Amino acid sequence: MDKRLLTIQDVSCVGQCSLTVALPVISACGIETAILPSSVLSNHTGGFSGWTFHDLTDDMPGILDRWLTEKISFDAFYTGYVSKAQIPHILDIMEKTARPGALRIVDPVMADNGKLYAGFGDDFPQEMKKLCKGADVIMPNLTEAAFLLGQPYVAEGYDKDFIEKMSRDLYALGAKNVIVTGVSFDPKKLGVAVYDGSTVEYYFAEKQAVSAHGTGDLYASVVAGAMLRGKSLLEAASLGADVVVEAIKKTAGDKDHWYGVKFEKALPYLIKRLGD
């Protein structure tokens, strides 16, 4: 039977992030991709003057009931931007529709650059811990890691001891593997720390001159798809970093394309790498 992944996150109709990234990227990995939108936005919230927002929490129980009736099940779950009220529904969905050995991949989307995203209260990180507990992989950035652990955000000047303690502390939340993103010990390099409960391994790529919206969603989607293709955690984590760099390079120089990265142009690179 072919593998089927369910991704649960918002739909930002314009902006090359969330589900508009996850669906094509994971599909390009050769994995059947089912979706459960947590909300629908006209566009993402970064850099635009405004947006519409429609919450879909109330739809989740009915969707689950229909899936149970149809005996629909999944080999993996990958969560992104969700609300506090949705976390109990998501845990219920994971429990009731999982095939044997199903993976739970959690991108705890809630914060960046030292601040929680708009709409998240100070109590949200405590709720996100419930989704992280028991997950096969969690992928926080440095800000999200700090919020999950209830410690101050440190943007720079940290060392390997700091990152490795952070990785161990995140693992202690109940996740089976941890990928900390946005790690850098060299101004020319940016990468990830991967912890499996015993060893922290690193992967660094060339740091790009610009940052871009949606790269975290692109990264997590590649990791999820690559893992379902049988790649090891470090292989998937490394491939995610390389695909993000490729997408940023494909977007560089186009000043009108400020709202995301042209990940579509990096899909041939992703597919080729998966075949290596």
Side-chain angles (χ1 to χ4, degrees):
M1 180 185 294
D2 289 341
K3 292 182 178 179
R4 177 192 290 151
L5 175 147
L6 171 65
T7 182
I8 309 170
Q9 51 188 303
D10 71 290
V11 177
S12 289
C13 298
V14 174
Q16 293 174 304
C17 66
S18 58
L19 274 180
T20 61
V21 170
L23 179 56
V25 167
I26 299 169
S27 297
C29 294
I31 304 301
E32 179 184 347
T33 311
I35 64 170
L36 179 56
S38 58
S39 55
V40 178
L41 293 81
S42 56
N43 45 271
H44 66 63
T45 60
F48 292 99
S49 61
W51 53 89
T52 65
F53 179 88
H54 181 67
D55 184 85
L56 295 172
T57 305
D58 290 344
D59 293 87
M60 289 183 169
I63 290 172
L64 173 58
D65 287 344
R66 193 67 251 163
W67 286 347
L68 293 175
T69 299
E70 300 293 341
K71 295 182 172 53
I72 292 171
S73 58
F74 306 97
D75 296 285
F77 305 91
Y78 154 41
T79 65
Y81 183 100
V82 299
S83 71
K84 174 182 173 181
Q86 290 167 348
I87 290 175
H89 294 300
I90 293 168
L91 291 171
D92 196 32
I93 289 167
M94 288 178 169
E95 179 182 350
K96 292 178 178 177
T97 66
R99 292 174 180 170
L103 293 177
R104 299 185 181 190
I105 301 167
V106 175
D107 182 6
V109 178
M110 59 180 167
D112 204 1
N113 299 315
K115 297 180 180 179
L116 286 168
Y117 291 140
F120 288 139
D122 291 340
D123 60 341
F124 186 74
Q126 289 299 317
E127 292 300 309
M128 181 55 72
K129 284 184 183 180
K130 297 176 183 177
L131 204 52
C132 292
K133 185 178 181 180
D136 291 276
V137 185
I138 61 172
M139 293 180 276
N141 60 35
L142 288 172
T143 298
E144 291 158 348
F147 275 110
L148 285 170
L149 297 174
Q151 64 187 41
Y153 167 62
V154 178
E156 55 187 15
Y158 50 79
D159 57 15
K160 285 188 175 182
D161 287 342
F162 175 86
I163 294 298
E164 291 172 15
K165 182 179 185 305
M166 173 179 278
S167 300
R168 292 192 297 271
D169 291 345
L170 289 166
Y171 180 85
L173 296 179
K176 298 173 185 176
N177 297 278
V178 176
I179 303 174
V180 181
T181 66
V183 175
S184 179
F185 304 118
D186 177 338
K188 295 181 180 179
K189 300 288 184 180
L190 186 65
V192 297
V194 180
Y195 183 58
D196 62 1
S198 60
T199 305
V200 177
E201 297 181 277
Y202 297 93
Y203 181 77
F204 295 99
E206 176 187 355
K207 189 172 184 178
Q208 301 302 295
V210 297
S211 59
H213 297 291
T215 51
D217 297 332
L218 175 58
Y219 178 82
S221 298
V222 172
V223 171
M227 288 187 68
L228 267 288
R229 280 289 298 269
K231 298 294 186 183
S232 71
L233 186 64
L234 182 61
E235 288 172 336
S238 304
L239 179 58
D242 289 343
V243 171
V244 168
V245 169
E246 182 73 9
I248 293 174
K249 287 180 176 179
K250 294 293 186 183
T251 315
D254 187 346
K255 294 181 180 179
D256 293 329
H257 206 96
W258 54 267
Y259 51 84
V261 291
K262 299 179 182 181
F263 74 90
E264 301 90 346
K265 297 184 184 300
L267 292 181
Y269 172 82
L270 168 61
I271 293 168
K272 182 179 183 298
R273 284 286 305 273
L274 284 170
D276 290 346

